[in-house]
Amino acid sequence: MTLLLLAGASQTLLWWIQPPPRINDTLGPPRSGYTVKQFQAYLYNADGAPGLRISGPLLERRDNDDSLFLTTPHFVMPSHVATVPDWSGDSDYGWVNRRGDLVMLQGKVFMHRDAYAQTPATEIHSANMTGWPKDNRLATDELAIMTQGGTMLRGVGMRANLDTNELELLHDVHGTYPPRAPTARGRYKHRPARPAADPGTGRGTLG
């Protein structure tokens, strides 16, 4: 009985004299190192060439990992081919890691590339994309819709390499292709296409 009383008294004394827990260390969002309004940020490739450019109304840097949180960012992914225009776009939110080699485009994502040579303007509508700016690659597991002139492709899950103009749709792929114009002899260069549905994977080029 004496030992139990001593143990209880010791625990009560310890509880009385120890400092209260530091609630701010575990609760709430990470603290912002600084906030910038109407920002412009430039990321560079490993060889020092200009890479991803981002601008927007609000940027917040987090102290815990030096990452950047962006509100309604506008971004430009430069083309590495002189004759091909840059890609530009917008998203609801964004996140960039400390090294600048990983970007999350959150919420709705819209991308656009101007027409050039014989290639019409191209648009991509999707959501929640992951980007690797130094490789000019993008990926999403959400629905992606790509339009290029009269051509439309849609599918769930997308992988894109903007340097090689390769686009892969992973699931539930559907496409609509306009008929080719007739040649001088009155024949089509290719058989006129009609709306097509492919439940498998679709892979092609962006022009």
Side-chain angles (χ1 to χ4, degrees):
M1 182 64 69
T2 302
L3 292 176
L4 290 175
L5 291 174
L6 289 175
S10 299
Q11 184 63 36
T12 302
L13 181 61
L14 180 62
W15 174 82
W16 182 265
I17 64 174
Q18 69 180 357
R22 299 178 61 183
I23 298 177
N24 291 336
D25 286 348
T26 57
L27 300 180
R31 210 161 106 195
S32 181
Y34 57 78
T35 299
V36 179
K37 295 182 178 180
Q38 300 301 328
F39 71 91
Q40 291 186 347
Y42 299 84
L43 305 179
Y44 292 85
N45 296 330
D47 57 0
L52 179 69
R53 304 193 301 272
I54 306 178
S55 60
L58 185 63
L59 175 152
E60 296 179 82
R61 176 185 173 274
R62 300 304 190 188
D63 272 343
N64 59 337
D65 59 0
D66 294 335
S67 61
L68 304 177
F69 288 77
L70 317 172
T71 300
T72 59
H74 175 77
F75 57 90
V76 177
M77 301 186 75
S79 169
H80 294 162
V81 180
T83 58
V84 178
D86 298 339
W87 282 91
S88 63
D90 302 275
S91 63
D92 292 337
Y93 299 95
W95 175 87
V96 182
N97 70 343
R98 181 178 60 85
R99 294 187 301 274
D101 56 7
L102 181 64
V103 175
M104 305 290 290
L105 302 173
Q106 300 165 325
K108 294 180 181 179
V109 179
F110 168 75
M111 297 179 60
H112 172 83
R113 187 184 65 185
D114 291 336
Y116 69 98
Q118 302 301 316
T119 301
T122 305
E123 292 185 356
I124 296 177
H125 295 261
S126 189
N128 300 326
M129 284 189 180
T130 301
W132 294 268
K134 295 183 179 180
D135 299 324
N136 258 10
R137 292 188 297 114
L138 293 170
T140 181
D141 293 326
E142 306 286 341
L143 174 68
I145 301 174
M146 188 275 289
T147 58
Q148 188 177 81
T151 299
M152 188 275 290
L153 291 172
R154 60 182 293 155
V156 178
M158 183 194 75
R159 306 291 182 265
N161 187 318
L162 303 183
D163 280 345
T164 60
N165 290 332
E166 293 178 334
L167 174 72
E168 182 179 4
L169 299 173
L170 304 183
H171 307 288
D172 195 22
V173 179
H174 300 264
T176 302
Y177 305 88
R180 296 282 187 177
T183 63
R185 295 183 179 181
R187 296 181 178 180
Y188 286 94
K189 296 180 180 178
H190 299 284
R191 184 173 57 185
R194 59 182 182 274
D198 182 0
T201 299
R203 181 176 298 177
T205 61
L206 296 171

